[in-house]
Amino acid sequence: MPITPATAEHSSSNGTAETILLELVDEDGTTIGTAEKLAAHQPPGQLHRAFSVFLFDERGRLLLQQRALGKYHSPGVWSNTCCGHPYPGESPFAAAARRTFEELGVSPSLLAEAGTVRYNHPDPASGLVEQEFNHLFVGMVQSSPLPDPAEVEDTVFVTAAELAERHEKDPFSAWFMTVLDTARPAIRELTGPSADW
């Protein structure tokens, strides 16, 4: 399985590369340690902290992203606006805002907590496992995405009906429906009844 600098390392403030560590948690979401990112995703997977973001435009359409084809985990599939992992000690809210800007070149005009969900989703294509305690966020975006091509292959805004059609014919991330269904109450509160989420 290829490991690229983008998947295994990030640059520190002094310009040197360092290993990406994830925050390991117990079933209650309490931090219990750290693990290297790829190691945490090797079967059977280590439970770690993650986040998922759902951003909507003023018409109540959800911004989806298609993951870049070069990603080592779930390449080319469609998923929610942004998802990822906080660095150890970084708040999920700060990580969600940071990665949304890094991946899509947009900052949410509103971002609110939408609960947490714990899941175990193996990815048959890569053999990796998502054992995550996921913090969910919903919000608004008022500018057009400027995606980083190393992270994002494509983006699209969809209505609830368009998402249902797309989900039937296009590949989506293994975790997408789990995080979407858990976030739905907050999404409905944000977008209103006319958006039909």
Side-chain angles (χ1 to χ4, degrees):
M1 179 176 327
I3 302 173
T4 67
T7 62
E9 301 174 334
H10 73 277
S11 294
S12 66
S13 57
N14 65 8
T16 61
E18 58 188 61
T19 300
I20 293 179
L21 294 177
L22 305 186
E23 203 169 78
L24 300 180
V25 299
D26 64 16
E27 294 292 337
D28 297 318
T30 303
T31 302
I32 58 171
T34 60
E36 189 276 324
K37 182 178 179 181
L38 188 57
H41 289 87
Q42 298 288 346
Q46 298 177 72
L47 183 59
H48 58 275
R49 194 176 310 284
F51 65 83
S52 290
V53 177
F54 296 85
L55 294 183
F56 295 82
D57 66 8
E58 69 283 349
R59 293 166 51 192
R61 298 180 304 167
L62 172 61
L63 175 58
L64 295 178
Q65 73 154 274
Q66 183 183 25
R67 293 167 60 85
L69 299 178
K71 291 182 86 72
Y72 74 99
H73 190 333
S74 302
V77 301
W78 288 91
S79 200
N80 49 293
T81 308
C82 181
C83 53
H85 311 94
Y87 295 132
E90 181 182 30
S91 76
F93 184 92
R98 173 180 58 80
R99 283 304 291 165
T100 299
F101 183 77
E102 290 172 356
E103 290 188 9
L104 295 161
V106 295
S107 293
S109 57
L110 170 74
L111 193 63
E113 293 183 11
T116 60
V117 62
R118 189 260 195 256
Y119 54 76
N120 175 0
H121 286 302
D123 175 35
S126 68
L128 299 176
V129 178
E130 288 290 6
Q131 283 264 22
E132 294 188 330
F133 189 94
N134 199 313
H135 297 257
L136 309 177
F137 298 93
V138 299
M140 303 293 294
V141 62
Q142 295 179 317
S143 53
S144 298
L146 299 168
D148 174 356
E151 298 287 343
V152 179
E153 188 71 21
D154 199 3
T155 61
V156 65
F157 283 95
V158 295
T159 65
E162 290 166 342
L163 173 61
E165 291 175 12
R166 183 177 284 267
H167 193 260
E168 285 185 14
K169 61 183 179 71
D170 292 337
F172 273 73
S173 64
W175 61 87
F176 177 74
M177 287 310 298
T178 300
V179 293
L180 175 64
D181 287 344
T182 306
R184 276 189 200 274
I187 290 171
R188 290 180 181 128
E189 186 175 335
L190 177 74
T191 59
S194 63
D196 203 28
W197 286 101

